[in-house]
Amino acid sequence: MSFLQDAPKLAHPYRNDRVLHAFLGRALPGDRFDALEPDLDALSDYAVMAWRRRELTPRREPELTQWDAWGRRVDRIALTPAWEEGPHITTTHRVLSSGHADSPYARIEQFARVYLYHVASEFYTCPLAMTDGAATALKASGNRELTSRALPHFLSAEAGNFWLSGQWMTETPGGSDVGRTETTARMDEHGQWRLYGRKWFSSAVVGEAALALARPDGAGGGTSALALFYVETKDAQGAWQGVTIDRLKHKLGTRELPTAEIHLDGVPATPVGALDHGVRQITPMLNVTRTWNAVCAIASMARAISLARDYAGRRSVFGSRLIDQPLHARTLADMQAEFEASFALTFFVVELLDRVEQGMAAAHEPALLRLLTPMAKLWTGKMAIRITSEAIECFGGAGYIEDTGLPQLLRDAQVYAIWEGTTNVLSLDTLRAFGPAGLQPMREALDQLLAGHSGHERVAIDETFINAERLLTSLQNDRAGLEACARGIAITLSRVMAAALLAHAAHWASSHGDPRPAAAFRRFLGLGLDRLVVHERSDDVMLAADLASSPEPSTGTHRSFQGA
């Protein structure tokens, strides 16, 4: 019989994740860790089952039935098994509600659950993130009536009582440019607000509720005139009320997630707050939903590396296993180091979110959270694409075959750089986050993390941070130049912060007899922190538009920024 290659097996995501174990060991008291473990074990058991199911059964996607056999408009969506199981998994293991517990560790415990559940959920975590964000926004609004109505459903411990919330913002005129919103809100003869318009992307269309931006009748143009409304999508009999589904989107990835184009034709709505500045009312949810995005991105990295590592121990070529071949081992080691850095930054943001939400933050930490959240989201989004791409290459031709389930890792990863703001949108948001304090909150955090560290590794982190400060200073009167460099600044600062966090984790692990985090720290530094490349603006214009001619040629096309 001819040779048949063993497929990669998914190692138990919790029991075999030393990075998660070490973090929780540092971050949680022993009794909290012990209480959390049964959920982490169970969610990982589910993940292993879901991977095996994916190997044995054809992949399914949601299906929209718009009309029943008798001509009635029903807009019924058939979901995948993982989505049908979502409410039970979510409520049984408190994947969502644990983040709103009255505990200084609420977000840590929540996002540990999310990290292990995400890939197996087939992006059911997307509407969970929207629901978490909606709960956060409603709490911040002070609207007691809506809070008492919606939160018992959003944070329910019972699957039959659990509601999902969508987030209806994107329209055909623009995504990030919400000021061009065309949906209108009108009050009917009974004093009930109703929404009319078209929402171009609705990733939680199966949810029972949504937050939507709309322009009240008679309001002016622009972003400030928009209001934020709460809607419930179906009536007491379960029929859509003023919502029709035009079609489901056919997407590159996240295909199990039913993303829809919808029309609103008089759906009843309740203002969340005042009838203006609706975007401000959304703002409290951004730290939450962007953190979900980053946690899900590192979960995809962990899955890709786990499968690639297992395969490297099974696959033999030229007389030895892949794992024993020096170049392949180095490739896996580089991937692991980048993952550990991404994990460290993401869960540091989770810790900050906990402290800020619980009123336990140090003076500099609210500003630090505002700065690091868009940075962590944009950087991990890019890293997820890079690492999943490298991982499927580790399988050779098998990584390109759809039946293996491996290409899906890369196609799904592409969404992390798009959801909750593209890389460029969040890079510009990072510039806004500097505020009056500039980089001082980050400087304070670095000093705390690196206290007691010395030598060339500390110097490398400090010098890169100083270079970023100098670049910001040099461009303070050149807004266009600053915006052009925003991506390099954000990624460099992300890597600097991640390096400091790795150094801190390595110190803790070494004292407990584990040298691997120190190796990851050294490897990550070796891959470089500085992404501060300043290009000539004239070349930007010429190449971006592919102009036939350009201004006078410069003496150099780019330079690495090393300060004055």
Side-chain angles (χ1 to χ4, degrees), residues 66-141:
Q66 292 178 302
W67 310 91
D68 72 7
W70 304 99
R72 296 180 182 86
R73 184 71 184 252
V74 291
D75 286 349
R76 184 171 56 245
I77 298 175
L79 300 170
T80 68
W83 273 65
E84 295 286 0
E85 294 155 0
H88 172 73
I89 296 294
T90 297
T91 55
T92 299
H93 301 294
R94 301 181 61 225
V95 176
L96 178 55
S97 62
S98 59
H100 292 261
D102 185 17
S103 164
Y105 311 106
R107 291 298 186 180
I108 294 172
E109 294 172 0
Q110 176 193 29
F111 282 114
R113 292 173 166 98
V114 173
Y115 170 74
L116 294 171
Y117 176 48
H118 165 61
V119 179
S121 82
E122 297 180 353
F123 282 80
Y124 187 76
T125 45
C126 168
L128 291 184
M130 300 300 104
T131 306
D132 196 347
T136 302
L138 289 180
K139 282 182 178 181
S141 74

Side-chain angles (χ1 to χ4, degrees), residues 43 53 66 163 213 228 241 289 358 401 521:
L43 289 166
R53 180 167 64 187
Q66 292 178 302
W163 285 4
L213 285 175
L228 182 65
Q241 46 180 2
T289 55
Q358 297 295 331
I401 302 303
F521 171 52

Side-chain angles (χ1 to χ4, degrees), residues 195-258:
L195 305 187
Y196 299 86
R198 187 184 194 188
K199 295 295 183 180
W200 191 236
F201 278 87
S202 172
S203 289
V205 70
V206 295
E208 291 79 4
L211 295 184
L213 285 175
R215 198 176 304 280
D217 242 359
T223 304
S224 63
L226 295 174
L228 182 65
F229 290 87
Y230 166 84
V231 305
E232 292 179 10
T233 58
K234 296 183 179 179
D235 62 22
Q237 289 70 46
W240 295 99
Q241 46 180 2
V243 179
T244 55
I245 301 176
D246 297 335
R247 64 171 176 168
L248 297 183
K249 298 284 195 181
H250 188 59
K251 298 168 292 180
L252 171 69
T254 67
R255 292 180 182 172
E256 292 83 359
L257 165 62

Side-chain angles (χ1 to χ4, degrees), residues 147-230:
T147 300
S148 62
R149 167 70 179 167
L151 261 60
H153 290 291
F154 294 166
L155 306 180
S156 178
E158 299 176 3
N161 188 50
F162 177 63
W163 285 4
L164 291 173
S165 175
Q167 186 186 101
W168 297 347
M169 311 297 169
T170 304
E171 301 193 2
T172 51
S176 300
D177 188 5
V178 294
R180 299 176 68 190
T181 293
E182 295 177 341
T183 297
T184 58
R186 303 175 205 154
M187 190 176 288
D188 67 16
E189 64 272 20
H190 305 294
Q192 171 68 62
W193 284 100
R194 295 183 179 274
L195 305 187
Y196 299 86
R198 187 184 194 188
K199 295 295 183 180
W200 191 236
F201 278 87
S202 172
S203 289
V205 70
V206 295
E208 291 79 4
L211 295 184
L213 285 175
R215 198 176 304 280
D217 242 359
T223 304
S224 63
L226 295 174
L228 182 65
F229 290 87
Y230 166 84

